[in-house]
Amino acid sequence: MAAGGPTAMDDSDDKGGLRAALGGLTTRGRSFLAAGVAAAVCAYVLGQGDLLRVGLLLAVLPLVCVTVLFRTRYRVAGTRRLSPSRVPAGTEARVHLRMDNVSRLPTGLLMLQDRVPYVLGPRPRFVLDRVEAGGRREVSYRVRSDLRGRYPLGPLQLRLSDPFGMCELTRSFSAYDTLVVIPRTEPLPPVRLAGEATGYGEGRQRSLALAGEDDVIPRGYRHGDDLRRVHWRSTARYGELMVRREEQPQRARCTVLLDTRQIAYQGTGPDSAFEWAVSGAASALVHMLERGFAVRLLTDDGMAVPGEGENGFTATQDSAESAGLMMDALAVVDHSDEDGLSRAYDVLRGGNEGLLIAFLGELDEEQAAVAARMRQRSGGAVAFVLDSAAWVHGESSASDAACEQRLRLLRESGWTAVPVRPGMDLTRLWVQVSHHGSLTQSAAVGGTTGGTTGFSGGWS
């Protein structure tokens, strides 16, 4: 990722002209200039010619340095590379900077500085010695953030100084890069959800395609195909032998619902209840994608991360790309102003959406009833209900009885609902919900599911 192309260190790069270059005088340069002017004035008043020559020398020296430095025509190219460009919160990334001198003249002393947000750490500064013509210098620094988000890096700045330290001029590249800090993910165990069909490989279940001509999906003829399956209309259209694809693999579907309502969470920061919910949703997304599910990310405002598959679900071949897209969305997700979960319910009630995994904040009686109705068309449903008051006060709120009533309502409607309090580990909760009997229904559209290969590491 380039931080900028070749940049000339000349007057064309400085919009303020020579006047702006005078602003680059250092404390030493300003002191020399002031002392020279003062000596010249005193020499004129006292009639001392020798003192006048000394004063002129002191005043002219910083001005000469400014002029020479301003007229210097270095051409350098800067390149920035992130390794990696997407990291989980709390994980370090390394930024590699490379400076190439593409001019025919060697450079002087260069001070390199990259702009980074305060949350990523201190601003990195490097001093580069003389770079020969056609030479190259490489430096690197590390950045780290405990807060997810998208952080710009750059633009890269070069500070050019004269040998006497009288003047410093800054030149900036125009390009910048973006570091994406995604939520932390936990490796979830490959537990078997009750009611799943086995396998997602060659032994996976299939469903027959409809018999109509419009529903036939032809493919190229392969050696050994039954000639009775030749699709003559497609053969004439494509100019090669095509056969009917009479059976289609069906993927299990999983919707991960993230409740982002501001009124449902208390507290802020990386250890807040909302950040636990975001991290849990990210872990579930990655785990289900690794198991072969077609996954969709849905929030309480009814917005889903767009996918190439049907109804926003991930397509068959783009799981890695879809995972990156969803993780990028979770990196910047914030609280919504929604009062309830009705918009998410409108999306889910359209049809059988397979397995539903929800990370919910505090629920009142009305929103608990809305969440309960979401279960009607799901093949299976599990809810992690966060007691955000416990994150703030260090203990459960006084309305424990009301919370238990909300959980009971969800369970009676078919949810596997578990309360989440500070210190609870998602991995243990994941194993706990797998033992409940509410997931006995098939989680797939057409009865198929993912295999049992679990996710073995965090997302990077």
Side-chain angles (χ1 to χ4, degrees):
M1 286 171 278
T7 295
M9 296 294 186
D10 54 22
D11 54 350
S12 62
D13 293 322
D14 197 2
K15 297 180 179 180
L18 189 58
R19 181 179 300 178
L22 290 173
L25 284 172
T26 62
T27 302
R28 178 184 300 178
R30 295 175 187 273
S31 300
F32 267 69
L33 182 60
V37 172
V41 172
C42 293
Y44 176 78
V45 173
L46 300 176
Q48 297 292 328
D50 294 338
L51 182 60
L52 178 61
R53 286 191 290 271
V54 172
L56 291 177
L57 177 63
L58 293 177
V60 169
L61 180 59
L63 297 179
V64 171
C65 291
V66 168
T67 304
V68 173
L69 193 62
F70 178 73
R71 300 298 299 177
T72 301
R73 295 179 180 272
Y74 297 145
R75 293 185 61 83
V76 294
T79 303
R80 182 191 298 107
R81 178 173 57 88
L82 304 181
S83 178
S85 61
R86 182 190 291 122
V87 295
T91 304
E92 289 185 345
R94 184 168 289 275
V95 183
H96 302 269
L97 302 176
R98 191 181 76 183
M99 301 303 301
D100 295 277
N101 183 10
V102 296
S103 65
R104 298 181 179 180
L105 297 176
T107 69
L109 187 67
L110 299 178
M111 285 174 283
L112 182 64
Q113 176 177 280
D114 204 9
R115 291 186 178 180
V116 299
Y118 175 77
V119 70
L120 296 182
R123 180 170 295 182
R125 294 181 175 90
F126 305 93
V127 177
L128 303 181
D129 294 332
R130 176 180 178 273
V131 182
E132 64 279 4
R136 174 187 301 175
R137 296 291 185 272
E138 295 185 4
V139 294
S140 65
Y141 64 93
R142 293 176 295 180
V143 291
R144 179 181 180 273
S145 174
D146 292 327
L147 300 175
R148 57 185 175 81
R150 294 174 62 91
Y151 300 102
L153 299 178
L156 194 63
Q157 291 182 331
L158 280 178
R159 183 172 295 176
L160 188 64
S161 177
D162 67 280
F164 299 102
M166 297 290 181
C167 181
E168 292 182 352
L169 296 182
T170 300
R171 297 290 185 267
S172 297
F173 295 95
S174 58
Y176 66 92
D177 295 309
T178 301
L179 176 68
V180 181
V181 180
I182 61 176
R184 296 185 180 94
T185 58
E186 296 185 30
L188 302 179
V191 295
R192 176 77 180 280
L193 300 181
E196 285 192 6
T198 58
Y200 188 70
E202 293 300 327
R204 63 181 178 264
Q205 300 180 13
R206 298 172 181 268
S207 63
L208 294 179
L210 299 178
E213 291 292 333
D214 295 336
D215 299 304
V216 175
I217 302 179
R219 62 169 175 82
Y221 175 82
R222 300 172 185 171
H223 179 71
D225 284 339
D226 190 349
L227 293 178
R228 291 175 296 181
R229 295 173 54 191
V230 173
H231 191 253
W232 298 108
R233 179 177 299 179
S234 297
T235 298
R237 178 180 179 182
Y238 294 104
E240 60 178 315
L241 201 59
M242 307 291 290
V243 296
R244 302 174 186 267
R245 182 179 296 173
E246 295 181 350
E247 55 183 10
Q248 305 172 47
Q250 295 248 343
R251 300 183 72 194
R253 288 185 172 184
C254 175
T255 298
V256 178
L257 173 62
L258 176 61
D259 182 9
T260 64
R261 295 173 299 136
Q262 187 171 9
I263 61 175
Y265 297 95
Q266 300 182 34
T268 58
D271 297 326
S272 63
F274 180 67
E275 293 302 323
W276 194 99
V278 175
S279 177
S283 302
L285 281 170
V286 174
H287 179 72
M288 301 310 291
L289 282 171
E290 289 290 328
R291 297 190 62 183
F293 279 71
V295 182
R296 174 180 60 179
L297 173 62
L298 182 67
T299 58
D300 57 285
D301 56 5
M303 300 296 293
V305 174
E308 296 182 3
E310 182 182 359
N311 296 329
F313 287 92
T314 56
T316 306
Q317 289 85 11
D318 66 343
S319 295
E321 181 180 351
S322 298
L325 186 63
M326 293 179 184
M327 297 300 282
D328 288 347
L330 289 176
V332 296
V333 69
D334 202 356
H335 289 293
S336 71
D337 297 328
E338 296 292 328
D339 295 328
L341 302 171
S342 57
R343 291 192 177 184
Y345 170 70
D346 292 338
V347 175
L348 293 172
R349 70 178 180 178
N352 188 351
E353 304 296 355
L355 180 64
L356 175 60
I357 303 176
F359 293 84
L360 305 174
E362 295 181 357
L363 299 174
D364 56 22
E365 185 175 358
E366 179 182 358
Q367 299 311 314
V370 174
R373 292 196 298 270
M374 294 180 184
R375 173 63 181 83
Q376 296 177 359
R377 290 183 176 272
S378 295
V382 56
F384 298 92
V385 184
L386 281 76
D387 183 5
S388 64
W391 260 267
V392 177
H393 305 294
E395 57 183 9
S396 300
S397 61
S399 58
D400 280 344
C403 295
E404 288 298 328
Q405 183 179 1
R406 310 290 188 262
L407 293 172
R408 190 181 305 112
L409 177 60
L410 293 178
R411 291 164 182 162
E412 290 175 352
S413 63
W415 283 84
T416 297
V418 293
V420 181
R421 293 184 175 85
M424 286 189 172
D425 184 54
L426 178 60
T427 303
R428 294 184 179 180
L429 293 176
W430 188 262
V431 176
Q432 176 183 344
V433 299
S434 69
H435 296 156
H436 285 68
S438 65
L439 297 178
T440 55
Q441 301 183 26
S442 173
V445 178
T448 61
T449 65
T452 58
T453 301
F455 179 64
S456 59
W459 185 261
S460 61

